[in-house]
Amino acid sequence: MQNRTLRLNEILHIRYPVIQGGMANIATGSFAAACSNAGALGLIGTGGMDEAMLRREIARCREITDRPFGVNIMLMHPEAAAFVRIVCEERVPVVTTGAGNPGQYMEAFKRAGIFVMPVVAAPILAKHLEELGADAIIAEGCESGGHVGEMTTMTLVPQVCDAVTLPVVAAGGIADERQLRAAFALGACGVQIGTCLLASTECPIHENYKAAILAAKGSDTVVTGRIGGTPVRVLKNRMSRAYVKAEKEGADREELERFTLGALRRAVFDGDVREGSLMAGQVCGQVTRIRPVAEILRELCGDGIETDRERAGGKQS
Ligand SMILES: Cc1cc2nc3c(=O)[nH]c(=O)nc-3n(C[C@H](O)[C@H](O)[C@H](O)COP(=O)(O)O)c2cc1C
């Protein structure tokens, strides 16, 4: 079990207490390596990949960085079991899991010496995963971009901290130093960020997607799939407005899936900001410039964090 007084950077042996969230179709090996080189933990996102791609992206990441990195496995992915086998064979140092319960894979991860951090949206799952051998928990509030639960980061993080003895990482709604400090105050040892990294120089999304993030205000996101399917936070556009309207009118799952099929890829690769799924969190309202990842991390973490810890004599401030 990890000591709760340690910060995430100390636990993972990285510079900043920050994880780059594994983003489907976006977080390639090169992007993860850029984030690791800049001092965060970079994650390769398996969403949108097949087995060969994952092997290739892990190799690419290792070519570019010798720092720790990880892989995010979305458990609802049809090839999730194969991805688990690959990360174990490749001895990837860290795995995060999303959209479900990784219990059935925990023994394999442990045998391979992998540090496992499941993403949870509710305290009860965190408790269960601690019993199954998770090493840390990522508590993701519904302000975040992508798949969301019901609880906010403000309510979820302290309740997860109370439910488990493991280190807890806060995700959802974090893009500057005020929010990082708030996460520490809630009991987290670090943060996972996604939306603010979409507006980085290194992020391999279409320029139109980046421009839409810069233009968006904090109230410009909406959750599709709250009623009829899987809830996902995206920017408001023609597709998401039509989706929500159809949902309210009682469209069935099959009909709704037609809106989202391939929609993230349309946004990421084609730059279709009308019909694409522009996944983004509410912090988009704070993101106003495209900057290198290193600058985003430096500003997020500020100069004060190390000083605070030193001042506190090594205890969490
Ligand atoms: C475009 C996009 C795609 C995402 N895809 C995934 C994913 O495939 N797997 C996952 O666990 N989380 C995914 N997330 C969530 C992020 O990993 C991260 O937890 C979240 O973005 C943090 O909240 P923030 O967006 O407010 O920074 C995605 C987020 C975004 C913005």
Side-chain angles (χ1 to χ4, degrees):
M1 192 207 306
Q2 298 287 337
N3 187 330
R4 260 281 173 84
T5 60
L6 291 179
R7 286 261 164 95
L8 185 65
N9 48 313
E10 295 164 318
I11 295 169
L12 297 178
H13 308 290
I14 54 178
R15 180 158 181 204
Y16 297 119
V18 179
I19 300 173
Q20 161 251 309
M23 296 183 274
N25 291 302
I26 296 170
T28 57
S30 307
F31 184 58
C35 293
S36 287
N37 280 338
L41 180 81
L43 293 184
I44 297 169
T46 55
M49 289 189 184
D50 59 21
E51 291 180 52
M53 272 177 87
L54 178 56
R55 291 235 194 240
R56 232 181 11 250
E57 295 303 317
I58 292 172
R60 182 86 190 111
C61 187
R62 284 194 161 125
E63 271 167 32
I64 305 173
T65 190
D66 53 9
R67 303 214 182 154
F69 71 98
V71 169
N72 169 257
I73 301 178
M74 287 300 268
L75 298 164
M76 62 189 178
H77 194 294
E79 294 187 57
F83 294 157
V84 170
R85 183 173 41 74
I86 291 170
V87 296
C88 292
E89 284 171 11
E90 298 278 347
R91 303 272 157 180
V92 169
V94 179
V95 164
T96 69
T97 60
N101 178 345
Q104 59 172 315
Y105 303 122
M106 211 57 101
E107 210 184 302
F109 288 140
K110 297 283 96 185
R111 264 203 312 272
I114 292 173
F115 192 88
V116 186
M117 311 175 79
V119 179
V120 306
I124 187 146
L125 181 57
K127 195 168 170 45
H128 180 57
L129 292 167
E130 175 168 48
E131 286 158 11
L132 292 176
D135 296 291
I137 300 289
I138 301 172
E140 187 188 64
C142 61
E143 300 93 322
S144 83
H147 291 89
V148 293
E150 285 293 337
M151 294 180 72
T152 60
T153 303
M154 182 74 104
T155 54
L156 178 66
V157 173
Q159 290 184 46
V160 170
C161 289
D162 289 347
V164 300
T165 60
L166 297 173
V168 176
V169 175
I174 297 154
D176 73 20
E177 194 183 343
R178 293 167 298 178
Q179 290 152 328
L180 178 74
R181 287 182 180 281
F184 288 147
L186 295 175
C189 65
V191 299
Q192 171 165 290
I193 57 175
T195 299
C196 66
L197 290 175
L198 293 175
S200 64
T201 319
E202 296 91 333
C203 186
I205 58 173
H206 196 283
E207 293 306 313
N208 294 354
Y209 193 166
K210 290 188 188 181
I213 298 281
L214 299 190
K217 297 183 291 298
S219 54
D220 284 343
T221 73
V222 65
V223 175
T224 57
R226 268 241 199 273
I227 306 170
T230 317
V232 177
R233 186 175 296 284
V234 297
L235 291 187
K236 290 176 184 165
N237 63 1
R238 215 204 67 81
M239 186 281 291
S240 56
R241 285 196 178 93
Y243 185 113
V244 171
K245 183 165 177 282
E247 238 185 328
K248 284 182 182 154
E249 287 166 0
D252 60 26
R253 189 174 274 262
E254 214 173 294
E255 212 176 314
L256 293 174
E257 269 171 9
R258 249 179 269 139
F259 285 97
T260 51
L261 203 67
L264 178 58
R265 296 179 69 85
R266 272 202 296 282
V268 171
F269 301 118
D270 308 338
D272 184 347
V273 292
R274 258 169 69 83
E275 300 297 336
S277 172
L278 301 167
M279 291 189 189
Q282 293 173 338
V283 290
C284 60
Q286 293 168 234
V287 179
T288 55
R289 280 177 300 149
I290 311 276
R291 294 177 298 162
V293 172
E295 197 180 314
I296 294 172
L297 293 176
R298 222 175 11 251
E299 200 174 295
L300 170 67
C301 295
D303 296 327
I305 286 167
E306 286 315 309
T307 323
D308 274 358
R309 282 184 53 71
E310 283 160 21
R311 210 177 288 133
K315 294 202 182 71
Q316 198 162 338
S317 56

Short mmCIF file of all heavy atoms in Angstrom, two decimals, residues 21-24 26 72 74 98 119 140 143-146 171-174 192-195 198 209 279-281 283, ligand 1:
data_model
loop_
_atom_site.label_atom_id
_atom_site.label_comp_id
_atom_site.label_asym_id
_atom_site.label_seq_id
_atom_site.Cartn_x
_atom_site.Cartn_y
_atom_site.Cartn_z
N GLY A 21 -4.34 12.26 -19.49
CA GLY A 21 -5.39 11.25 -19.66
C GLY A 21 -5.28 10.55 -21.01
O GLY A 21 -5.00 11.19 -22.02
N GLY A 22 -5.50 9.24 -21.00
CA GLY A 22 -5.46 8.47 -22.25
C GLY A 22 -6.69 8.80 -23.07
O GLY A 22 -7.80 8.51 -22.64
N MET A 23 -6.51 9.42 -24.22
CA MET A 23 -7.67 9.88 -25.00
C MET A 23 -7.77 9.07 -26.29
O MET A 23 -6.84 9.04 -27.10
CB MET A 23 -7.55 11.38 -25.28
CG MET A 23 -7.58 12.20 -24.00
SD MET A 23 -7.54 13.98 -24.26
CE MET A 23 -5.78 14.29 -24.35
N ALA A 24 -8.93 8.46 -26.48
CA ALA A 24 -9.17 7.59 -27.64
C ALA A 24 -8.91 8.33 -28.94
O ALA A 24 -9.32 9.49 -29.10
CB ALA A 24 -10.63 7.11 -27.61
N ILE A 26 -6.53 9.83 -30.00
CA ILE A 26 -5.72 11.05 -29.88
C ILE A 26 -4.35 10.74 -29.23
O ILE A 26 -3.32 11.19 -29.72
CB ILE A 26 -6.47 12.10 -29.02
CG1 ILE A 26 -7.76 12.54 -29.72
CG2 ILE A 26 -5.57 13.29 -28.70
CD1 ILE A 26 -8.69 13.40 -28.88
N ASN A 72 -3.78 3.37 -21.41
CA ASN A 72 -5.17 3.41 -20.93
C ASN A 72 -5.98 2.38 -21.71
O ASN A 72 -5.97 2.38 -22.94
CB ASN A 72 -5.76 4.81 -21.14
CG ASN A 72 -7.28 4.83 -20.91
OD1 ASN A 72 -8.06 4.87 -21.86
ND2 ASN A 72 -7.70 4.77 -19.67
N MET A 74 -9.73 0.98 -22.33
CA MET A 74 -11.17 1.13 -22.12
C MET A 74 -11.75 -0.29 -22.10
O MET A 74 -11.64 -1.02 -23.09
CB MET A 74 -11.80 1.94 -23.26
CG MET A 74 -11.46 3.42 -23.22
SD MET A 74 -12.03 4.22 -21.70
CE MET A 74 -13.65 4.79 -22.19
N GLY A 98 -10.60 2.33 -17.97
CA GLY A 98 -11.81 3.16 -17.96
C GLY A 98 -13.04 2.33 -18.31
O GLY A 98 -12.92 1.22 -18.83
N VAL A 119 -9.95 4.11 -13.35
CA VAL A 119 -10.71 5.37 -13.29
C VAL A 119 -12.10 5.03 -12.76
O VAL A 119 -12.75 4.12 -13.28
CB VAL A 119 -10.84 6.01 -14.69
CG1 VAL A 119 -11.64 7.31 -14.63
CG2 VAL A 119 -9.46 6.29 -15.28
N GLU A 140 -12.76 10.50 -11.35
CA GLU A 140 -13.05 11.44 -12.43
C GLU A 140 -14.47 12.00 -12.32
O GLU A 140 -15.45 11.28 -12.41
CB GLU A 140 -12.88 10.75 -13.78
CG GLU A 140 -13.00 11.71 -14.94
CD GLU A 140 -13.03 10.97 -16.27
OE1 GLU A 140 -13.99 10.21 -16.51
OE2 GLU A 140 -12.10 11.14 -17.06
N GLU A 143 -17.33 16.93 -14.81
CA GLU A 143 -16.94 18.14 -15.56
C GLU A 143 -16.05 17.77 -16.74
O GLU A 143 -15.79 18.57 -17.63
CB GLU A 143 -16.10 19.08 -14.68
CG GLU A 143 -16.78 19.58 -13.43
CD GLU A 143 -16.49 18.72 -12.21
OE1 GLU A 143 -16.42 17.47 -12.36
OE2 GLU A 143 -16.36 19.28 -11.12
N SER A 144 -15.51 16.56 -16.71
CA SER A 144 -14.47 16.16 -17.66
C SER A 144 -15.01 15.98 -19.06
O SER A 144 -16.21 15.83 -19.28
CB SER A 144 -13.83 14.85 -17.19
OG SER A 144 -14.62 13.77 -17.61
N GLY A 145 -14.07 15.96 -20.02
CA GLY A 145 -14.43 15.60 -21.38
C GLY A 145 -14.50 14.08 -21.51
O GLY A 145 -13.93 13.36 -20.71
N GLY A 146 -15.23 13.60 -22.50
CA GLY A 146 -15.33 12.15 -22.74
C GLY A 146 -16.44 11.51 -21.89
O GLY A 146 -17.40 12.18 -21.49
N ALA A 171 -9.51 13.86 -11.35
CA ALA A 171 -9.63 14.17 -12.79
C ALA A 171 -10.96 14.86 -13.03
O ALA A 171 -11.95 14.59 -12.34
CB ALA A 171 -9.54 12.89 -13.61
N GLY A 172 -10.97 15.74 -14.04
CA GLY A 172 -12.22 16.42 -14.40
C GLY A 172 -12.23 17.83 -13.90
O GLY A 172 -12.32 18.07 -12.69
N GLY A 173 -12.06 18.80 -14.82
CA GLY A 173 -12.19 20.20 -14.42
C GLY A 173 -10.90 20.81 -13.91
O GLY A 173 -10.94 21.80 -13.16
N ILE A 174 -9.75 20.26 -14.30
CA ILE A 174 -8.48 20.79 -13.79
C ILE A 174 -7.63 21.31 -14.97
O ILE A 174 -7.31 20.54 -15.88
CB ILE A 174 -7.72 19.72 -12.99
CG1 ILE A 174 -8.56 19.33 -11.77
CG2 ILE A 174 -6.33 20.24 -12.56
CD1 ILE A 174 -8.32 17.96 -11.24
N GLN A 192 -5.26 14.17 -13.10
CA GLN A 192 -5.23 13.73 -14.51
C GLN A 192 -5.94 14.79 -15.34
O GLN A 192 -7.04 15.22 -14.98
CB GLN A 192 -5.92 12.37 -14.65
CG GLN A 192 -6.11 11.96 -16.12
CD GLN A 192 -6.46 10.49 -16.29
OE1 GLN A 192 -5.62 9.64 -16.07
NE2 GLN A 192 -7.69 10.19 -16.68
N ILE A 193 -5.32 15.19 -16.44
CA ILE A 193 -5.90 16.25 -17.28
C ILE A 193 -6.08 15.76 -18.72
O ILE A 193 -5.34 14.89 -19.18
CB ILE A 193 -5.02 17.53 -17.27
CG1 ILE A 193 -3.58 17.21 -17.72
CG2 ILE A 193 -5.02 18.16 -15.89
CD1 ILE A 193 -2.69 18.43 -17.85
N GLY A 194 -7.08 16.30 -19.39
CA GLY A 194 -7.31 15.92 -20.78
C GLY A 194 -7.57 17.13 -21.65
O GLY A 194 -6.79 17.47 -22.54
N THR A 195 -8.65 17.84 -21.33
CA THR A 195 -9.10 18.94 -22.20
C THR A 195 -8.01 19.98 -22.45
O THR A 195 -7.80 20.40 -23.60
CB THR A 195 -10.36 19.60 -21.60
OG1 THR A 195 -11.39 18.61 -21.53
CG2 THR A 195 -10.84 20.77 -22.44
N LEU A 198 -5.60 19.14 -25.14
CA LEU A 198 -6.04 19.14 -26.54
C LEU A 198 -5.51 20.38 -27.25
O LEU A 198 -5.26 20.37 -28.45
CB LEU A 198 -7.58 19.13 -26.62
CG LEU A 198 -8.28 17.85 -26.14
CD1 LEU A 198 -9.79 18.04 -26.15
CD2 LEU A 198 -7.88 16.65 -26.99
N TYR A 209 -10.46 21.27 -34.62
CA TYR A 209 -10.85 20.81 -33.27
C TYR A 209 -10.19 21.72 -32.23
O TYR A 209 -10.84 22.20 -31.29
CB TYR A 209 -10.40 19.35 -33.13
CG TYR A 209 -10.93 18.54 -31.97
CD1 TYR A 209 -10.79 17.14 -31.97
CD2 TYR A 209 -11.55 19.11 -30.86
CE1 TYR A 209 -11.25 16.36 -30.93
CE2 TYR A 209 -12.02 18.33 -29.81
CZ TYR A 209 -11.84 16.96 -29.85
OH TYR A 209 -12.30 16.17 -28.80
N MET A 279 -15.17 15.82 -28.16
CA MET A 279 -15.14 15.57 -26.72
C MET A 279 -14.32 16.65 -26.04
O MET A 279 -13.19 16.93 -26.45
CB MET A 279 -14.53 14.20 -26.44
CG MET A 279 -15.38 13.04 -26.88
SD MET A 279 -14.63 11.52 -26.25
CE MET A 279 -15.63 10.31 -27.09
N ALA A 280 -14.88 17.23 -24.98
CA ALA A 280 -14.17 18.28 -24.24
C ALA A 280 -14.88 18.49 -22.92
O ALA A 280 -16.09 18.31 -22.80
CB ALA A 280 -14.14 19.58 -25.04
N GLY A 281 -14.10 18.91 -21.92
CA GLY A 281 -14.67 19.18 -20.60
C GLY A 281 -14.96 20.65 -20.40
O GLY A 281 -14.64 21.50 -21.25
N VAL A 283 -13.62 22.80 -18.59
CA VAL A 283 -12.46 23.72 -18.51
C VAL A 283 -12.10 24.32 -19.86
O VAL A 283 -11.23 25.19 -19.92
CB VAL A 283 -11.19 23.06 -17.91
CG1 VAL A 283 -11.33 22.78 -16.43
CG2 VAL A 283 -10.77 21.84 -18.69
C1 LIG B 1 -11.14 13.92 -26.26
C2 LIG B 1 -11.13 13.08 -25.01
C3 LIG B 1 -11.07 11.70 -25.14
C4 LIG B 1 -11.01 10.90 -23.97
N1 LIG B 1 -10.89 9.54 -24.10
C5 LIG B 1 -10.70 8.78 -22.99
C6 LIG B 1 -10.41 7.39 -23.10
O1 LIG B 1 -10.34 6.83 -24.20
N2 LIG B 1 -10.22 6.69 -21.95
C7 LIG B 1 -10.29 7.28 -20.70
O2 LIG B 1 -10.12 6.59 -19.68
N3 LIG B 1 -10.56 8.61 -20.58
C8 LIG B 1 -10.74 9.36 -21.68
N4 LIG B 1 -10.95 10.72 -21.55
C9 LIG B 1 -10.90 11.33 -20.21
C10 LIG B 1 -9.46 11.82 -19.90
O3 LIG B 1 -8.58 10.73 -19.79
C11 LIG B 1 -9.38 12.64 -18.59
O4 LIG B 1 -9.71 11.86 -17.46
C12 LIG B 1 -10.30 13.85 -18.62
O5 LIG B 1 -10.16 14.53 -19.84
C13 LIG B 1 -9.98 14.79 -17.46
O6 LIG B 1 -10.89 15.84 -17.40
P1 LIG B 1 -10.74 17.25 -18.21
O7 LIG B 1 -11.18 16.92 -19.59
O8 LIG B 1 -11.65 18.16 -17.50
O9 LIG B 1 -9.29 17.64 -18.14
C14 LIG B 1 -11.05 11.52 -22.69
C15 LIG B 1 -11.14 12.92 -22.59
C16 LIG B 1 -11.18 13.70 -23.72
C17 LIG B 1 -11.23 15.20 -23.58
#
